[in-house]
Every structure is written in structure tokens, then in C-alpha cells.
Amino acid sequence: MFAYEKKLQYPVCIQTPNPRMAAAIISQFGGPDGELGASLRYLSQRFSMPYKQLKGLLTDIG
């Protein structure tokens, strides 16, 4: 059993919004060179890998 609490690990106090910083942060998560893009590349390469051991490795990394 678990309890779900929606709270941040560290408190954040934003005084004024910074659109340039927000654009830089979001590009690292969802941009073509971001974490999500890298994960999807690993998973798509998994399907063309001929070796079973390396297939498992790419699946774990992705």
C-alpha cells in the first residue's frame, strides 16, 4: 500500500517567469536532442538489432 503526495522534493519559489530559461529546459526534455528523443531512439534501434543480448541492453537503456 502507498500514499501519493503531490509535492516537490525541494521547495521552489519563482519570483518572475523567465521564458528563455523555460525554453532551454523544455528543449532538453522534449526537443530532438533531449532525453525523450534519446530514449525513443534507443527503443527504435532495438527492433533492428540482430543480437538478443544487445536487444535487451537497448531495451534497458531506453
Side-chain angles (χ1 to χ4, degrees):
M1 195 67 180
F2 64 92
Y4 175 70
E5 276 186 61
K6 188 175 180 177
K7 66 177 188 172
L8 298 175
Q9 185 173 3
Y10 300 103
V12 176
C13 181
I14 299 173
Q15 300 295 327
T16 58
N18 186 341
R20 292 178 75 192
M21 180 61 75
I25 291 172
I26 199 69
S27 72
Q28 289 302 307
F29 284 117
D33 297 324
E35 293 296 319
L36 182 59
S39 176
L40 292 175
R41 277 192 296 278
Y42 279 118
L43 289 175
S44 66
Q45 289 172 358
R46 173 221 186 273
F47 292 106
S48 62
M49 181 60 62
Y51 306 108
K52 283 188 174 188
Q53 294 86 0
L54 296 180
K55 254 186 203 182
L57 179 65
L58 288 176
T59 302
D60 291 345
I61 292 172

